Amino acid sequence: MENLLDINFLIDSFPAIISRLPVTIGIAVGSLILSLFIGVATALIKIYRVPVLRVISAIYVSFIRGTPLLVQIYLVFYGIPKIIYYMQIEYGWLQSADVNSIPPEVYALLAFSVNLGAYLSETIRSAIESVDRGQFEAAKSIGMTPVQMMLKVIFPQALATAIPNLGNMFISTIKDTSLVFIIGVIDIMGEAKILGSRGLAFFEVYIAVSIVYWILCIAVERLLVKVEKRARRYERGIA
């Protein structure tokens, strides 16, 4: 009689799955960092109503929000090599670029950065706009440039407001990285699929990988709570 669950196989699969944690965390953290730059730039374009760029940023955010992440990954994975190849043939640009040597992790990182940047732009915009207008006027009155005002006065206060949403999006990104296996990235989900196909024990490896994701997200959530407390402490100091 066949057992419902092969406990030994489940336990033995953990080391291999955990060994791929750096890939999952690397894509999630890297995309968060890059998306912050995209999100801040897009948010400032909307806040200051920059001509032309404002329309482009609105289309960008609308497109990302209105299409599945899976489709966006495919667009980046198949689109970037085609664009590079087109530029090489038609204009002679990027001749040193070899699309075949670009690792799939790079495409995954770009796709997640573009996706997350669109969502973060709204979070960052609302966080900046939540800062009391008096702070803007006070910074201007002491002769701060717009860049100094944003970096030294506005962003530190907006950060405390944005951290909860940033944390939720980061946790969602960690879970969404399970999609990168479709373009050949072997993350923890990819490793689980490989192990499952080898041992024909998909149920066991999916239990194992779900536990790894669960523990990872709990650890990140605990870390974010500490970061938020420190930011709120700074906010109380300002008040």
Side-chain angles (χ1 to χ4, degrees):
M1 181 177 178
E2 185 178 354
N3 292 328
L4 175 64
L5 188 67
D6 188 342
I7 296 295
N8 291 330
F9 189 89
L10 190 156
I11 295 173
D12 292 341
S13 66
F14 274 107
I17 292 173
I18 292 173
S19 70
R20 297 294 180 175
L21 264 178
V23 178
T24 295
I25 295 174
I27 292 173
V29 173
S31 61
L32 177 65
I33 294 171
L34 291 177
S35 65
L36 281 173
F37 289 101
I38 297 172
V40 169
T42 306
L44 292 177
I45 287 170
K46 288 187 175 182
I47 290 172
Y48 288 104
R49 301 179 180 275
V50 180
V52 182
L53 292 180
R54 180 189 175 194
V55 176
I56 295 174
S57 66
I59 294 172
Y60 156 63
V61 172
S62 177
F63 177 79
I64 294 300
R65 287 187 158 195
T67 55
L69 175 58
L70 180 61
V71 174
Q72 295 164 22
I73 293 172
Y74 278 134
L75 285 174
V76 171
F77 184 67
Y78 291 107
I80 289 180
K82 194 164 187 176
I83 291 171
I84 292 175
Y85 183 70
Y86 177 81
M87 288 183 174
Q88 289 174 339
I89 298 299
E90 294 295 327
Y91 302 104
W93 300 346
L94 305 174
Q95 291 298 324
S96 61
D98 181 9
V99 294
N100 295 318
S101 66
I102 300 176
E105 288 84 359
V106 173
Y107 296 114
L109 183 63
L110 290 174
F112 275 85
S113 299
V114 171
N115 176 272
L116 191 56
Y119 289 95
L120 285 182
S121 67
E122 294 302 305
T123 296
I124 293 169
R125 181 181 61 81
S126 61
I128 291 174
E129 291 180 342
S130 70
V131 177
D132 188 271
R133 299 304 301 179
Q135 299 291 326
F136 289 85
E137 299 302 327
K140 290 179 182 178
S141 67
I142 61 174
M144 280 190 174
T145 64
V147 174
Q148 289 175 326
M149 176 179 66
M150 283 294 174
L151 292 178
K152 296 183 178 181
V153 179
I154 306 305
F155 283 160
Q157 296 181 64
L159 179 64
T161 303
I163 282 177
N165 283 334
L166 290 175
N168 290 334
M169 290 181 188
F170 181 57
I171 290 174
S172 294
T173 300
I174 290 174
K175 292 182 287 186
D176 288 342
T177 56
S178 60
L179 295 173
V180 300
F181 182 65
I182 61 174
I183 59 172
V185 178
I186 311 301
D187 65 331
I188 59 177
M189 187 63 179
E191 186 65 29
K193 289 182 177 181
I194 292 172
L195 290 173
S197 62
R198 285 176 182 170
L200 297 178
F202 289 100
F203 185 45
E204 285 80 359
V205 294
Y206 286 148
I207 290 175
V209 79
S210 65
I211 292 173
V212 173
Y213 275 117
W214 183 28
I215 294 174
L216 177 59
C217 289
I218 289 174
V220 171
E221 187 178 1
R222 295 283 178 87
L223 177 62
L224 290 170
V225 167
K226 293 182 179 180
V227 171
E228 185 179 358
K229 284 182 179 179
R230 291 182 65 86
R232 292 295 179 184
R233 186 188 312 166
Y234 171 81
E235 188 181 46
R236 289 194 296 270
I238 293 292

